[in-house]
Amino acid sequence: MSSATAPQRVLAPFGRRAARIIERRVYGAYVVLRCADPDGPRPAAGQFYMLATAGWGGGEGERPFLPRAFSVLRVPAGHGLEFLIEDVGPGTHRLCELQPGEDLLLVGPLGIGFAPPSEARRPLLVGGGVGIAPLAIWQDELGGAPALLGFRDAPRAEGARLLADARVATDDGSVGHHGLVTDLVREELDRDGHAVVYACGPPAMLEAVRALCSARATPAQLALESGMACGFGACFGCVVPTRRGYVRLCVDGPVLDSAELETALVAGAGH
Amino acid sequence: MSSATAPQRVLAPFGRRAARIIERRVYGAYVVLRCADPDGPRPAAGQFYMLATAGWGGGEGERPFLPRAFSVLRVPAGHGLEFLIEDVGPGTHRLCELQPGEDLLLVGPLGIGFAPPSEARRPLLVGGGVGIAPLAIWQDELGGAPALLGFRDAPRAEGARLLADARVATDDGSVGHHGLVTDLVREELDRDGHAVVYACGPPAMLEAVRALCSARATPAQLALESGMACGFGACFGCVVPTRRGYVRLCVDGPVLDSAELETALVAGAGH
Amino acid sequence: MRTELCGIELAHPIINASGTFDAIAARRVFGDALLERFPFAAYISKTVTLAPREGNPPPRLWETPAGLINSIGLPNKGLARYLAEDLPQLAELPVPLIVNVMGFTGEEVAELVGAFSEREEVAALELNVSCPNVETGLVMGADPGETAALLHRVRPITDKPLIVKLTPNATDVVAVARAAQDAGASAVSLINTIRGMALDPRSGRPWLGGTTGGVSGPAVRAVALAQVHAVAAALDIPTVAMGGVQRGSHALDLIRAGAAVVAVGTESFRDPAAGARISDELAALAANSGNSLTEKPLNC
Amino acid sequence: MRTELCGIELAHPIINASGTFDAIAARRVFGDALLERFPFAAYISKTVTLAPREGNPPPRLWETPAGLINSIGLPNKGLARYLAEDLPQLAELPVPLIVNVMGFTGEEVAELVGAFSEREEVAALELNVSCPNVETGLVMGADPGETAALLHRVRPITDKPLIVKLTPNATDVVAVARAAQDAGASAVSLINTIRGMALDPRSGRPWLGGTTGGVSGPAVRAVALAQVHAVAAALDIPTVAMGGVQRGSHALDLIRAGAAVVAVGTESFRDPAAGARISDELAALAANSGNSLTEKPLNC
Ligand SMILES: Cc1cc2nc3c(=O)[nH]c(=O)nc-3n(C[C@H](O)[C@H](O)[C@H](O)COP(=O)(O)OP(=O)(O)OC[C@H]3O[C@@H](n4cnc5c(N)ncnc54)[C@H](O)[C@@H]3O)c2cc1C
Ligand SMILES: Cc1cc2nc3c(=O)[nH]c(=O)nc-3n(C[C@H](O)[C@H](O)[C@H](O)COP(=O)(O)OP(=O)(O)OC[C@H]3O[C@@H](n4cnc5c(N)ncnc54)[C@H](O)[C@@H]3O)c2cc1C
Ligand SMILES: Cc1cc2nc3c(=O)[nH]c(=O)nc-3n(C[C@H](O)[C@H](O)[C@H](O)COP(=O)(O)O)c2cc1C
Ligand SMILES: Cc1cc2nc3c(=O)[nH]c(=O)nc-3n(C[C@H](O)[C@H](O)[C@H](O)COP(=O)(O)O)c2cc1C
Ligand code: FES
Ligand code: FES
């Protein structure tokens, strides 16, 4: 796995650049945008980009104004970048409307990605909703790893098609296990606790995963979310509380070691 | 000419309504949008509408924010409305991008239109640039009238196709008379001054027409422009100076009797 | 959604902001449909002064990102003609009438208040001490002492509710609001426009005939919410809140911040019936969120 | 487009606004490309205080129409660690360094000024008397007397230029600016953010951990232009102007209104290299309009 030695922070070209959209796919409630990024480096799994479009603004309530943060979903063979987007407000709405031939305006890759599994622990991927995005590229990098994925309903559960070897849970039981993905995580860890967990999803799910893992002394890396204005450490707006005080999630995260956190419930994150 | 008895102010339905665009035509530098307006009345020639679109905003410098004023170009046989638009800034740019199937958001008809020719004077239509718009519907209403039209260049001169019986002047001489349309007006009035002039165009042209007509005691009705925020008398922002003081162009105009004006040079109008 | 302001019954909490809706002109444009579907629960007039005013030279408008700068300069026909010509027409409106007045001296304000106080078409008076386009307005409303002095001068003249319209262009808006309350104001209203300016892209000279103007619209909404929140928390008299309201959710924010009534200004320029839409949206939100609009606002 | 500010040579008139560009973090993200294409003609630090500060609890950001409300709360490592850890790294930047400081007493400000005064990496100091997130900042910068007293206290301590950053949340910004000039300020900078607020759509409680915050971005541009125009006309010392600058034309407006230098803040969040683009656009405009940027601004 050459990738296991991949750097966790790949430097971003300075400034914002245009990336032409070359493909748009729909997975139930989600949109996947593939763009060409000839001037950009290959990002590390878990890193993210700040995205905007031409004519940003003019949506609900004269927004969006600031760019929005998105994990890289996958780096297609060859080049380019893929993003997974759920329409939850004016920014994501505008992005979901984009068609091939239009440009994304992006800055990135940003932040620190996942660290390779230490010791001989097996990687276990845990995702919820759009939080599955960084797990897809990480699964590629790792050359495979089992994934436990939770979704609200069937349209969202279609996102599971983006990963291999996935067990699914849905809140409404329409697909897979009827309940929370953390039920599956508990099951897995009880079966074999010698794992390292890579998790990304809504705050409540991350907090449940953190608690489960710390109770079992299972190492876990959590990809968090918080409201961001800049994505490169300029505004100090994205801080989350850790045992060493507030850290800027955009430069010291978004992936944090669960041991650093007293809680994964970040104020103002999630929808 | 039933139309000669048409009211100059047709009341507008209260509030803003959506009007589906059913046709988009390009005349050189201009775009003509035809929309269906089943809930709207037939406007009087010279009246205007305040236009916007969904997702207004997000253009150059986070504008447009307010709706924009447009004279009705023509009321196609049957129903619906046509507008003539030149892209000069964020609002007109957005409108020029609109395609059939999308909605215009409009308020109108607004303002006071042209008054029928008094006495036995012959109507003479004088237009410059997008100022030809209200003359087209007026020519229809009058059942015909000669038109003298001035444009900056050949792409704009294509607008002349929107009127019948038109003589054209261009600033660059690429089409018709090389010079100002007012040269043609002077010629016409010298030939036969027993006319009533209906003019719409840039401030400098209107002022030249006003001066020519007042020198000859030829009655003239001028459709002016000024920056507008509301279009229905609410903001007091669109005033122009007249012999009876400032008047709100949106409710007491846009058509004013040239006798009321000391000058047609309106501060802040034109591009 | 029935509510009341200083004893005035209102069918819903949405009214217009002074100077942003001319009901007489609107009736010429929209006819009696305006009266049948009048968008506001009360009608506030544009500012009336003692002497007629032409207002500022054009241009008077400049569009900003999500906002508008205006330098209208309070054009109006003056008290005498207003009483004779406009008041009778405004009395035909299906809602209570509030007249906004402004004077350049306490004496002038007193004369205006006295005159309208006698007219029973008038439900209340709003004192404009805050129009940023007129020097004195800025001074009076920016200083607690000036504001108190004005209220002491005019409060005894009328039994009608006196609403003091505060300027946002002040270091301590709460202090001015307190002074107004202590001197007998029945309510306060805020925010007026924020001082702003634009240059002509071509000449580089000031675009507006009045050189500077006042900013309104969505661009000022967050500033309005902060000032309303601070003032409402400090006062016992009701607050009429305004500034960039475009939707029911914006009105709900202001009510949650402590406002009794919400006024819509610039948004009416985009849609003359905006007030009715906002009132409907607010009612729907209140229903859903089970939020009683009369419940004491969260004091945070 | 070479220019100067208080004797500091600048390659062009565009610098960053304090607290909107962390050059150390940006170098971690963009590497040395940042130094090769540094977007600003001078670098102003985020506000440094005597003691370390954690800053306000999150959430710290709220997007508004064409703007942003922040309640960051001036997090910083405090003077001692700033001198030891950050200053050496900032000295590697290819442009002059201006340090922005803030104290809760004149004594604290004096200590900060004194400490940086000894470091020759530091070209000038900016005094933040205007941060709306910290009570004292609001008070000091809103009152001419307070501002004068502060300057009298710290002016004698250093020969380096002292730039006083004014708050827009004041009744009479010009009076404060005059007081600063008369008490020995080398320049003034404005505007800081305008006090604003947002509520959580779900709970109806204040969204920001700091309850209120400061509004920046295009929404405040017209307000900034009006204040810069008034202050620059009244002062003889140079003005550093900022507030919603996104394009060269916005910078040109501020220069025409009398600014010597223009700072870019929130726009850098949308594009880290915005400063360079704006400087290029400004140069092109100046060339076309034959407008010498050093010519005495139109005084209108
Ligand atoms: C590192 C990182 C990676 C991410 N990866 C992905 C991804 O791969 N796919 C994906 O779909 N999403 C991802 N997100 C989340 C995504 O950035 C947000 O969904 C997006 O910013 C929402 O913007 P919006 O305009 O659509 O919605 P908004 O209107 O911004 O609303 C989204 C949430 O923001 C808050 N909010 C609401 N109004 C405002 C306001 N005015 N100002 C500030 N906050 C407000 C509320 O909590 C709301 O629920 C990621 C976020 C981070 C930080
Ligand atoms: C009664 C009437 C009828 C009209 N009929 C037509 C018509 O039939 N066809 C047509 O094409 N046009 C017509 N116009 C003109 C049209 O309304 C304007 O061209 C339009 O408003 C321009 O908007 P914009 O956003 O595209 O350009 P803007 O950016 O608004 O620029 C247009 C002009 O407005 C001024 N301006 C620039 N920036 C600003 C700003 N921030 N705030 C305020 N003013 C600014 C400048 O003078 C500029 O040249 C009519 C105008 C009126 C009043
Ligand atoms: C064009 C215009 C004219 C105004 N005229 C007045 C006025 O005459 N008297 C007054 O007290 N306020 C006046 N205002 C201020 C508004 O009443 C209101 O306080 C301000 O616009 C903020 O509300 P908004 O953002 O909803 O417009 C005016 C505002 C605008 C935009
Ligand atoms: C996130 C953020 C943090 C800021 N931090 C500071 C600060 O630490 N010190 C300071 O003097 N100004 C600070 N400011 C104010 C800016 O320096 C500037 O005055 C203001 O943002 C207006 O400029 P803009 O509209 O271009 O952003 C901050 C602004 C923002 C948006
Ligand atoms: S988003 Fe600006 S510092 Fe993290
Ligand atoms: S455009 Fe508002 S009054 Fe005429």
Side-chain angles (χ1 to χ4, degrees), chain A residues 63 65-66 68 236 248, chain D residues 22 28-29 60 63 270:
Chain A
R63 301 172 48 225
F65 164 62
L66 296 161
R68 303 296 196 244
F236 283 81
R248 283 170 290 180
Chain D
D22 180 338
R28 285 169 64 199
V29 173
R60 292 177 170 184
E63 185 179 72
R270 290 163 33 116

Side-chain angles (χ1 to χ4, degrees), chain A residues 9 11-16 61-68 110 227 229-230 232-237 239 245-246 248 251-252 267, chain D residues 19-20 22 25 28-31 34 37 39 54 57-61 63 65 67-68 72 75 207 218 266 268-273:
Chain A
R9 185 199 297 279
L11 294 184
F14 182 56
R16 187 170 71 171
E62 310 295 322
R63 301 172 48 225
F65 164 62
L66 296 161
R68 303 296 196 244
L110 301 166
C230 71
F232 61 97
C235 74
F236 283 81
V239 296
Y246 290 132
R248 283 170 290 180
V251 281
D252 299 321
Chain D
T20 65
D22 180 338
R28 285 169 64 199
V29 173
F30 302 111
L34 175 70
R37 297 174 40 213
E54 275 249 291
R60 292 177 170 184
L61 302 170
E63 185 179 72
L68 168 68
I72 307 299
W207 170 266
T266 302
S268 293
F269 301 161
R270 290 163 33 116
D271 177 359

Side-chain angles (χ1 to χ4, degrees), chain B residues 9 11-16 56 61-68 107 109-110 112 227-230 232-239 241 245-246 248 251-252 267-268 270-271, chain C residues 19-22 25-26 28-31 33-34 37 39 46 54-61 63-68 72 75 202 207 218 246 266 268-273:
Chain B
R9 185 199 298 279
L11 294 184
F14 182 56
R16 186 172 72 172
W56 206 231
E62 311 295 324
R63 299 172 49 223
F65 164 61
L66 297 162
R68 302 297 197 245
V107 177
L110 300 167
I112 308 180
M228 294 186 173
C230 72
F232 61 97
C235 73
F236 283 80
C238 62
V239 296
Y246 290 132
R248 285 171 289 181
V251 282
D252 299 320
H271 324 309
Chain C
T20 65
F21 200 95
D22 179 339
R28 284 170 64 200
V29 173
F30 303 112
L34 174 70
R37 296 175 40 213
K46 185 164 176 64
E54 274 250 291
N56 291 335
R60 293 177 170 185
L61 302 170
E63 185 179 73
T64 65
L68 168 68
I72 307 299
R202 273 156 253 134
W207 171 266
Q246 297 181 286
T266 302
S268 293
F269 301 162
R270 290 164 31 117
D271 177 359

Side-chain angles (χ1 to χ4, degrees), chain B residues 70-169:
Chain B
F70 295 87
S71 305
V72 60
L73 167 68
R74 182 162 266 137
V75 179
H79 73 329
L81 302 168
E82 284 189 353
F83 298 99
L84 174 69
I85 305 171
E86 177 176 15
D87 179 348
V88 300
T92 48
H93 182 76
R94 180 65 63 90
L95 291 168
C96 285
E97 284 177 340
L98 288 175
Q99 296 300 328
E102 298 186 273
D103 281 343
L104 278 177
L105 300 176
L106 57 79
V107 177
L110 300 167
I112 308 180
F114 295 113
S118 47
E119 316 134 47
R121 288 177 175 269
R122 66 190 180 104
L124 179 63
L125 312 182
V126 181
V130 289
I132 66 173
L135 304 179
I137 177 174
W138 191 223
Q139 193 179 50
D140 293 348
E141 299 274 331
L142 292 170
L148 308 176
L149 309 178
F151 299 95
R152 196 182 311 156
D153 50 27
R156 290 183 172 74
E158 291 204 34
R161 290 195 277 125
L162 290 160
L163 280 86
D165 187 12
R167 280 183 67 196
V168 172

Side-chain angles (χ1 to χ4, degrees), chain A residues 63 68-69 71 84 86 89-92 226 270-271, chain D residues 62-63 202 207:
Chain A
R63 301 172 48 225
R68 303 296 196 244
S71 305
L84 174 68
E86 177 177 16
T92 49
S226 72
H271 325 308
Chain D
W62 181 261
E63 185 179 72
R202 273 156 253 136
W207 170 266

